[in-house]
Amino acid sequence: MYEHAQSASPRAWTVRALALLSAVIIGLIPWADNAAAHGSIVDPAARNYSCLDRWGHDHLNPAMAQQDPMCWQAWQANPNAMWNWNGLYRENVRGNHQAAIPDGQLCSAGRTEGGRYNAMDTVGNWHATDIGNNFTLRLYDQASHGADYFRVYVTRQGFDPTTQQLRWSDLELVRETGRYAPAQNIDISASAPGRTGRHIVYTIWQASHLDQSYYFCSDVNFR
């Protein structure tokens, strides 16, 4: 039984087109990698997608260093982490996610893709999206491969993402889904009672076409 998916989002297409255009101009995007990749959590946005969404049109602006220092350090470390916003995955994990990804490396999927996404693990004051205790995640799956399942975790109350590295023991599983049919937009509802303030929503997307697992850190502020 498949769960429900949503129709394509014009905003997602706009951001995607902007990313591709900018990448062509500066010659940074590795086309082969991008063709093999699929998607990301776009709301509340995963770290690299969030940095692309807000700075992809102006990523060389030195003002970013003061206005958005966590995205600044990510762009300086590896711009391809943003241009390849849809490629933060590992293959052949066989469902053993904790064995594949060490503590402190959850946001980079265990330093996947040769370390392209390592800056996502940097501890600091990342831009956070305001959400309620009952919230909805949106996956933009560019290649429409669907999902075997999603696992949605939220950090435990008392964890401070601005000063602490993320460990598996910091997370509480708040939702595990069934399968989703291929679609470009998939919405996943979840609930995290008792949370207030800053947290990380950590999402695992097990894609359906291969043993390919995606890992996303979304910075949030529970209102």
Side-chain angles (χ1 to χ4, degrees):
M1 178 77 66
Y2 285 119
E3 300 204 31
H4 182 62
Q6 299 292 326
S7 59
S9 163
R11 179 175 177 275
W13 277 111
T14 300
V15 172
R16 176 66 180 142
L18 174 63
L20 288 173
L21 177 61
S22 300
V24 169
I25 292 172
I26 66 172
L28 285 174
I29 195 165
W31 287 96
D33 285 355
N34 204 52
H38 306 292
S40 182
I41 296 294
V42 298
D43 186 24
R47 285 178 174 177
N48 60 326
Y49 184 88
S50 178
C51 289
L52 175 67
D53 188 28
R54 288 177 294 108
W55 292 100
H57 66 291
D58 199 20
H59 64 281
L60 299 178
N61 187 342
M64 190 195 324
Q66 299 300 320
Q67 297 176 17
D68 197 347
M70 300 313 297
C71 281
W72 173 257
Q73 63 86 30
W75 282 101
Q76 301 309 301
N78 195 331
N80 276 329
M82 275 59 72
W83 303 132
N84 288 270
W85 57 271
N86 56 5
L88 214 168
Y89 66 88
R90 299 187 71 88
E91 292 185 329
N92 303 316
V93 172
R94 297 178 177 84
N96 199 356
H97 304 291
Q98 293 192 36
I101 301 179
D103 286 343
Q105 299 179 20
L106 277 71
C107 298
S108 68
R111 300 179 180 171
T112 194
E113 295 297 305
R116 177 190 294 161
Y117 302 97
N118 286 6
M120 301 305 111
D121 291 321
T122 304
V123 177
N125 189 20
W126 290 85
H127 178 84
T129 302
D130 288 340
I131 63 173
N133 292 117
N134 298 313
F135 60 95
T136 300
L137 294 161
R138 170 157 287 194
L139 174 86
Y140 177 50
D141 177 5
Q142 180 196 7
S144 297
H145 279 302
D148 286 346
Y149 60 81
F150 291 90
R151 292 179 185 169
V152 181
Y153 301 81
V154 177
T155 47
R156 302 180 188 280
Q157 190 66 19
F159 176 81
D160 183 356
T162 69
T163 61
Q164 296 174 258
Q165 283 196 326
L166 184 62
R167 305 168 301 171
W168 287 102
S169 60
D170 297 317
L171 296 171
E172 178 185 359
L173 181 66
V174 298
R175 175 79 195 278
E176 182 165 4
T177 76
R179 298 184 68 200
Y180 283 80
Q184 287 200 322
N185 280 278
I186 295 175
D187 287 349
I188 309 107
S189 61
S191 180
R195 301 308 198 282
T196 59
R198 290 292 300 271
H199 283 272
I200 294 172
V201 176
Y202 190 66
T203 307
I204 299 175
W205 165 32
Q206 184 66 45
S208 293
H209 67 301
L210 294 169
D211 185 2
Q212 197 169 73
S213 308
Y214 290 72
Y215 304 90
F216 308 115
C217 282
S218 299
D219 293 277
V220 300
N221 181 54
F222 284 100
R223 300 188 298 269

